[in-house]
Amino acid sequence: MARTVAHVIVEALEELGVRHVFGVVGDALNPLTDAIRTTEGLEWVGCRHEEAAAFAAGAQSQLSGTLGVCMGTVGPGSVHLLNGLYDAAKSRAPVLAICGQVPLAEIGSDYFQEVDNDLLFRDVAVYRATLTSPDQMPRLLESAVRAAVTQGGVAVLTVPGDLGDQVPSDDRSPRFALDRAVTRPDDPALVRAAELLNGASRVTLLVGQGARGARAEVMAAAELLAAPMVLTLKAKEGFEDDNPFQVGQTGLIGNPAAVHALDSGEALLMLGTDFPYREWYPEDVKVVQVDAREDHLGRRTPVDVGLAGDVGATLRALLPLLDAVPDRAHLDGARDRFARWQEGQRGLADPGHERRLTGKLRAALDNRDHEIRPEALAAAVDAHAADDAVFTSDTGMATVWLSRFVTMRGDRRLIGSYNLGSMANAMPQALGAQLWAPDRQIVALCGDGGLSMLLGDLMTVKTYRLPVKLVVFDNRRLGMVKLEQEQMGLPEFGTELDNPDFAAVATALGLTGIRVTDPAELDDAVRRAFDTPGPVLLDVLTNPEEVAVPGRPTVSQGWGFARAKIKELLPGHEG
């Protein structure tokens, strides 16, 4: 049988090891979805919204390190992919999006549902092309896949509806050259970096996701330099567990120990991180940065020595040039501060924390007796989740509580929309994660606003019988926005959510729904959710007034919060 354009694409995906294609069926995709239907080893996953499909494909790509694939049909179907594809692009996840288009002869005529995909995806894609002849296959497919994998980004291949069934004249199978080079800087640059680091008595490491494949080398550098290790959120996976150097995160989700470790150092060694918040970098320090991408060097903070190369290969060449630091006071001081902060956080995670308060403060908090502390929920999740669980988290307060109370011990994995900062990512990313690892526990820490935004894909969870555990921080608020408003001295406005009983919604859809309103029932409910076979939605009513104090709180933030509370208590007050 002659191999059509659709069969060339689908057979190539199967050869590349792609196991799932996410999307919503539609007219221009019919040749492709039919080819998937008849191909063993490749499964079509029909989502309820293309945005969820793109998030799921990006999640699989991030977890597997290989190509994720999603599809959207003509016009709106492709437009709906865009947000999830932006998340993949910002996460540098290789994703191939195959998009439908109007019939070839109608392109440019403002045909029904026609959208210029090459223009639409211009900013998000490292490669985009529209197939205009079957004889462009398999060359365009090879170029698209190669660009996505080697550049770590999104490739968009648009296929008009009348070309999928046509037969290319070249019947060869696609060939992909996908090996990536491992590089390190030249010796003179390494010598300059070593001289700078050897001249500093207090060195701090800032470690990001780009260093996760070089744990042994990073740990050796920390030991040699007696350096505390500040982790970005993405570096929790790989560096948080069994690490006598790490002092947690900096930034708004961070802690005072990490901030002090950065601010008190003489030199900063950045390893595989593009941490974007410039105001949290230390001033008046010497900086060495190692990153695989040259365009990342120095773009967040001024850099004295920039080393373009793989973190592992670079450190293997740099370590022999470094002198051991005998004085461990900088490291020990940071670790002591971190331990004290962690002890305080454990107190906050105690469900009975507020019941220990007395006097006027206790009276003021009486109305919160039955509101569950989000810290307690996150700590319970950490205690009962499997040591090889895969976590996803929604942007906002759910990620704050995860960063502080869920540890990446054992073989745990972590993904989220940590660069794009999109809402509604945790549940669809959990779909992709569960299909990627059907025998592992997948835990999605969902905000109530995020979950409700793509609530329809709970039906995808049911349809494919995915045993994901959806933990909802149900504070009836857009919590991070509320906090941002109050820190600016503004009263809360527009953030309140009129939520349904999410557990009842889940039950109506055929999932197990568990609702928790009493702190005394929290621990047992979390345990029961994780022990229950199949998909479970755990809806926990948490305290909307809980505040996450940043690692370096400012007077202006505190004053703004006080002013906001006055305005909220006295609605007519405008001071």
Side-chain angles (χ1 to χ4, degrees):
M1 184 180 71
R3 296 165 69 244
T4 66
V5 166
H7 284 100
V8 170
I9 293 172
V10 169
E11 290 171 13
L13 296 180
E14 196 270 335
E15 286 292 323
L16 284 165
V18 175
R19 291 185 290 163
H20 304 99
V21 177
F22 300 88
V24 178
V25 295
D27 48 3
L29 296 181
N30 286 339
L32 287 153
T33 52
D34 188 64
I36 293 171
R37 179 183 64 82
T38 57
T39 300
E40 292 187 10
L42 190 62
E43 182 181 5
W44 172 261
V45 182
C47 298
R48 298 305 179 105
H49 196 294
E50 288 90 353
E51 182 178 349
F55 271 126
Q60 284 205 342
S61 176
Q62 291 179 66
L63 291 167
S64 68
T66 57
L67 188 70
V69 181
C70 58
M71 292 188 184
T73 192
V74 180
S78 294
V79 172
H80 284 166
L81 292 171
L82 198 56
N83 191 57
L85 293 181
Y86 261 106
D87 185 76
K90 295 278 280 185
S91 300
R92 299 193 58 77
V95 170
L96 174 65
I98 299 174
C99 297
Q101 186 53 283
V102 301
L104 188 61
E106 301 296 344
I107 292 178
S109 69
D110 195 22
Y111 196 71
F112 174 64
Q113 291 192 322
E114 182 183 2
V115 170
D116 185 343
N117 286 345
D118 292 337
L119 179 62
L120 174 69
F121 295 107
R122 179 177 179 178
D123 183 54
V124 73
V126 297
Y127 178 92
R128 63 198 185 284
T130 296
L131 195 70
T132 58
S133 166
D135 291 339
Q136 292 175 297
M137 295 295 287
R139 290 180 294 110
L140 288 190
L141 178 63
E142 291 169 334
S143 296
V145 171
R146 191 177 302 116
V149 173
T150 60
Q151 297 182 51
V154 172
V156 178
L157 183 62
T158 296
V159 181
D162 56 344
L163 287 188
D165 279 333
Q166 294 192 30
V167 178
S169 59
D170 186 352
D171 193 40
R172 71 175 177 87
S173 297
R175 295 194 292 270
F176 303 98
L178 302 177
D179 292 330
R180 304 186 68 177
V182 175
T183 62
R184 73 163 180 85
D186 292 336
D187 290 344
L190 293 169
V191 170
R192 292 197 301 274
E195 290 175 346
L196 186 153
L197 295 170
N198 289 335
S201 61
R202 299 187 305 277
V203 179
T204 299
L205 305 187
L206 179 60
V207 179
Q209 181 187 33
R212 288 196 318 207
R215 177 183 165 97
E217 292 86 351
V218 174
M219 298 291 281
E223 174 65 38
L224 196 62
L225 297 169
M229 188 186 302
V230 178
L231 305 179
T232 67
L233 180 60
K234 288 185 172 183
K236 275 173 66 74
E237 178 194 320
F239 286 101
E240 187 173 44
D241 187 32
D242 192 24
N243 184 346
F245 306 101
Q246 71 98 3
V247 292
Q249 283 89 61
T250 185
L252 289 174
I253 67 172
N255 71 82
V259 172
H260 183 266
L262 290 169
D263 289 346
S264 62
E266 293 180 353
L268 174 65
L269 176 57
M270 299 170 59
L271 299 173
T273 177
D274 191 38
F275 182 73
Y277 305 105
R278 291 184 293 167
E279 65 271 24
W280 292 93
Y281 282 92
E283 298 178 355
D284 301 322
V285 297
K286 298 294 185 181
V287 179
V288 176
Q289 182 178 3
V290 182
D291 201 286
R293 296 190 60 179
E294 287 185 82
D295 59 331
H296 284 185
L297 299 176
R299 77 172 180 172
R300 305 302 185 187
T301 191
V303 167
D304 296 278
V305 181
L307 303 176
D310 173 79
V311 172
T314 301
L315 285 181
R316 285 192 292 274
L318 179 62
L319 285 169
L321 306 178
L322 297 178
D323 299 332
V325 175
D327 185 355
R328 299 177 68 88
H330 180 50
L331 170 62
D332 292 342
R335 287 283 292 175
D336 287 344
R337 287 173 180 264
F338 186 52
R340 292 196 299 271
W341 178 80
Q342 286 183 306
E343 181 63 28
Q345 293 296 294
R346 282 191 286 271
L348 293 176
D350 181 352
H353 172 77
E354 287 166 354
R355 288 194 292 273
R356 293 195 301 270
L357 301 177
T358 59
K360 293 182 179 180
L361 181 58
R362 170 67 266 157
L365 296 175
D366 275 346
N367 64 334
R368 288 161 54 175
D369 277 343
H370 297 293
E371 289 181 332
I372 295 166
R373 300 183 67 86
E375 300 98 327
L377 173 55
V381 168
D382 180 55
H384 295 298
D387 283 351
D388 67 346
V390 179
F391 293 89
T392 69
S393 70
D394 269 334
T395 299
M397 298 308 294
T399 289
V400 175
W401 307 129
L402 173 141
S403 74
R404 296 186 175 190
F405 295 96
V406 178
T407 56
M408 291 298 110
R409 63 176 180 268
D411 294 320
R412 288 178 171 181
R413 301 290 306 272
L414 173 63
I415 56 173
S417 186
Y418 301 141
N419 292 82
L420 180 64
S422 174
M423 286 181 65
N425 62 281
M427 184 263 289
Q429 286 181 327
L431 305 182
Q434 190 72 82
L435 286 161
W436 170 72
D439 296 327
R440 289 176 71 166
Q441 186 182 75
I442 310 298
V443 183
L445 302 185
C446 303
D448 46 1
L451 179 71
S452 58
M453 188 175 281
L454 285 176
L455 192 64
D457 271 283
L458 284 180
M459 290 179 273
T460 306
V461 173
K462 172 60 168 59
T463 298
Y464 291 90
R465 300 177 178 85
L466 302 178
V468 297
K469 311 305 179 187
L470 305 169
V471 179
V472 185
F473 288 75
D474 189 353
N475 63 358
R476 290 79 67 205
R477 295 294 193 281
L478 297 176
M480 184 64 79
V481 180
K482 176 181 184 293
L483 181 60
E484 291 166 349
Q485 290 175 348
E486 291 174 340
Q487 285 180 340
M488 295 173 63
L490 301 174
E492 178 185 6
F493 178 76
T495 64
E496 295 188 29
L497 301 175
D498 185 13
N499 289 337
D501 179 335
F502 288 114
V505 172
T507 300
L509 294 174
L511 286 64
T512 298
I514 301 172
R515 186 172 173 89
V516 188
T517 60
D518 187 337
E521 299 174 356
L522 175 64
D523 193 72
D524 181 66
V526 173
R527 181 188 296 106
R528 182 157 47 98
F530 288 162
D531 289 344
T532 299
V536 178
L537 187 149
L538 178 67
D539 182 17
V540 181
L541 269 64
T542 58
N543 179 10
E545 299 301 328
E546 203 61 38
V547 176
V549 179
R552 189 200 296 136
T554 65
V555 172
S556 63
Q557 287 172 334
W559 178 236
F561 190 79
R563 286 163 48 217
K565 288 303 175 186
I566 291 172
K567 293 175 183 178
E568 289 168 4
L569 292 170
L570 304 172
H573 180 75
E574 296 298 332

